[in-house]
Amino acid sequence: MTKQIVITALTIGAIILGTNNVQAQNTTATTTVNITLNDVISIDAGSTAIGNTVDFNYATAADYNSDQTITKANSLKVTSTKNFNVKVKAGGANFLNGTNTIPVNVLTIKAAAAAGTMGGTKTAVVLSATDQNLVTNAPLGSALTLNLDYTIPAVKSSSSDILGKPAGTYTQTVTYTATAL
């Protein structure tokens, strides 16, 4: 009988201990997250240089005898993952009105006094049909702005570059190019 009691006790003990035994469960999970970066440089939408115009109007003698400056806020908005340069050039050697011409070098483009958030070394550029550095070694960043002054100095507007030309609107494109370093 003692043997039977011991077997019964062991069986009951095994049942009790077996039902309370915790099964192994996962308590952690691991996921791999990848971040893939690509180099980017962009003149962003919102740049007033995209599809905009700069209009100079010479209607009086005073206009021809004084500097004219037109400031364009947010002329360029650049996003770049690396330091960069901004170059500028005209689409040709002259502003055109049919067969009538005004040389593009009557126009100077430079960073405005309140230049915006774009860093780097800024240089005033007398416009030409050749790429010229407007900004060099600008630090990387997102939506960096550059406000520009477009100036025709009186020395040009009161010279034969503009005086004596037939009345009308003379047009030329200006192209800005941002290039990563």
Side-chain angles (χ1 to χ4, degrees), residues 2-84:
T2 316
K3 191 176 181 184
Q4 214 174 11
I5 292 175
V6 170
I7 291 175
T8 305
L10 286 175
T11 303
I12 293 173
I15 292 172
I16 292 173
L17 289 175
T19 58
N20 285 334
N21 192 8
V22 176
Q23 298 292 321
Q25 297 178 3
N26 289 334
T27 58
T28 61
T30 303
T31 298
T32 300
V33 176
N34 296 318
I35 299 175
T36 303
L37 301 177
N38 291 295
D39 288 333
V40 170
I41 187 158
S42 170
I43 296 177
D44 301 338
S47 297
T48 59
I50 298 174
N52 206 334
T53 60
V54 177
D55 295 316
F56 288 93
N57 188 17
Y58 289 89
T60 67
D63 293 336
Y64 285 94
N65 293 311
S66 60
D67 293 350
Q68 283 201 33
T69 298
I70 297 173
T71 301
K72 291 288 189 173
N74 298 321
S75 292
L76 297 173
K77 266 187 173 176
V78 175
T79 296
S80 181
T81 56
K82 297 192 179 287
N83 288 8
F84 61 96

Side-chain angles (χ1 to χ4, degrees), residues 94-112:
N94 297 297
F95 290 93
L96 304 172
N97 177 6
T99 59
N100 301 308
T101 63
I102 296 174
V104 293
N105 69 1
V106 300
L107 180 64
T108 300
I109 301 172
K110 67 176 186 169

